Amino acid sequence: KWKGEGTTQNLESIVIGRCYEYIRLVNPAVGEKNCSQIWEAFKNAFINKDPCNILPEDYELFINITFHTIPPNKSLFWENNQLLVTSLAARGRRYMSVGDTLFGFLADFLIWCGQADSPGLDYESCPTMAECENNAVDSFWRIASVTYAKHSSGVVQVLLNGSAEGGAYPQPGFFADYEIPNFQKDKISQVVIWVVDDIEGPDRDSCGTNSVKTLETRLKTLGFDVTCTDNYKSVMFLLCLDYPDHSKCAFASSAPAAQRGPISSD
Ligand code: ENP
């Protein structure tokens, strides 16, 4: 009956399994957590309720029991490049995006919703953002975003897609609406923005232009130290993995001539 895809099959097993994977292997530094209690808190936020009337607050207990500190200088905010962020962050080893925190990790890539007057999950369909704002998934990411932004500190990075149709810095968007407003002025020393175009995509937005300019101005007005880099090299290397022969991936080399090819005479 809803327009969106239904609940991911085996949701309970995935969430509980991910919970153990996270606390035992991905990030044991978070310490002991009760994974079945975490699943109960997650489920109780949305089961037996109108799937269009789930609020971020409904996940409060879940957030409280999954919460852990976010290491300084490791936060990575983003829009429109989830797969790139997933490989750049490397499950928290390089950066810790919200999807690399315990609370985000449990839900990443999943879909879920319940139904009014029934304890069952709806595996057939779930409401989309267009059908109702207060759906189980979007309300979840709202409180996850707010929590993550509030607890980010030091140098924070923002990875934006310069080829995105709605602009690299979409408004409305989670970053614009739930993350920036929760940045703690006294905890964040610098905001590092990277605007990276898709290898085969158009160059729609760059540092100092269009929506990125809007973002830079907003952050500076809020009093943050802001830097912006176009096509940041480390991120380009990751993208170029899939396009080794593309002209954008022919990195200027300072290697000695002999390493690039034989020299004709001598
Ligand atoms: P999209 O639309 O590119 O990607 C949505 C996908 O990313 C979904 O599979 C979603 O999981 C997963 N995801 C991981 N973290 C978030 C998230 N944090 N979030 C919404 N979805 C997330 O992402 P958006 O909508 O532009 O959101 C990007 C935001 O995430 C940025 O603000 C960034 O700073 C933040 P699922 O469970 O829905 O399938 C907040 C909102 O990290």
Side-chain angles (χ1 to χ4, degrees):
K1 68 176 157 88
W2 302 106
K3 295 206 175 72
E5 256 182 79
T7 301
T8 309
Q9 296 283 341
N10 309 106
L11 184 76
E12 175 172 355
S13 304
I14 296 174
V15 172
I16 294 177
R18 281 182 174 184
C19 177
Y20 284 117
E21 183 173 16
Y22 193 90
I23 64 167
R24 299 292 176 239
L25 304 169
V26 177
N27 190 8
V30 299
E32 200 54 36
K33 301 276 179 192
N34 182 338
C35 292
S36 29
Q37 184 199 9
I38 287 173
W39 162 254
E40 290 298 318
F42 180 73
K43 183 181 72 175
N44 288 334
F46 62 88
I47 58 153
N48 250 315
K49 293 185 193 171
D50 170 0
C52 275
N53 193 20
I54 310 298
L55 299 173
E57 302 85 271
D58 294 330
Y59 291 99
E60 225 159 61
L61 175 61
F62 168 85
I63 292 288
N64 285 342
I65 61 179
T66 52
F67 182 77
H68 57 85
T69 55
I70 294 152
N73 311 315
K74 288 255 193 166
S75 289
L76 176 59
F77 297 88
W78 56 277
E79 288 285 3
N80 296 308
N81 44 28
Q82 190 191 18
L83 295 179
L84 177 60
V85 164
T86 306
S87 44
L88 179 64
R91 298 181 125 203
R93 264 169 270 167
R94 206 177 281 116
Y95 295 106
M96 190 178 279
S97 70
V98 69
D100 304 301
T101 63
L102 175 57
F103 45 97
F105 188 85
L106 297 179
D108 216 5
F109 296 99
L110 305 179
I111 300 170
W112 63 91
C113 65
Q115 31 204 340
D117 315 310
S118 149
L121 302 172
D122 190 342
Y123 292 100
E124 297 299 312
S125 66
C126 289
T128 58
M129 181 71 177
E131 286 173 292
C132 55
E133 203 181 1
N134 292 331
N135 64 69
V137 173
D138 282 289
S139 290
F140 172 89
W141 287 112
R142 269 178 228 138
I143 191 166
S145 279
V146 167
T147 308
Y148 176 69
K150 271 191 186 155
H151 292 91
S152 290
S153 65
V155 178
V156 304
Q157 359 306 302
V158 186
L159 179 54
L160 302 177
N161 185 337
S163 301
E165 240 175 77
Y169 170 60
Q171 278 182 293
F174 281 97
F175 182 57
D177 302 331
Y178 299 99
E179 295 176 329
I180 296 178
N182 287 294
F183 278 2
Q184 304 292 298
K185 181 77 233 331
D186 51 328
K187 292 210 299 186
I188 295 182
S189 56
Q190 191 175 42
V191 184
V192 170
I193 304 169
W194 298 318
V195 184
V196 181
D197 299 332
D198 291 337
I199 296 295
E200 292 186 309
D203 175 9
R204 288 201 168 96
D205 246 351
S206 310
C207 295
T209 70
N210 307 316
S211 74
V212 184
K213 188 178 183 172
T214 308
L215 169 63
E216 291 173 83
T217 308
R218 178 175 179 193
L219 291 170
K220 283 177 188 160
T221 306
L222 288 169
F224 292 104
D225 175 3
V226 182
T227 70
C228 187
T229 306
D230 288 309
N231 296 316
Y232 175 55
K233 220 169 165 188
S234 296
V235 176
M236 291 302 288
F237 282 126
L238 271 181
L239 286 177
C240 284
L241 210 51
D242 295 321
Y243 301 88
D245 296 324
H246 195 281
S247 61
K248 283 189 186 172
C249 296
F251 295 98
S253 174
S254 58
Q259 225 173 292
R260 280 184 254 133
I263 301 164
S264 46
S265 60
D266 186 85

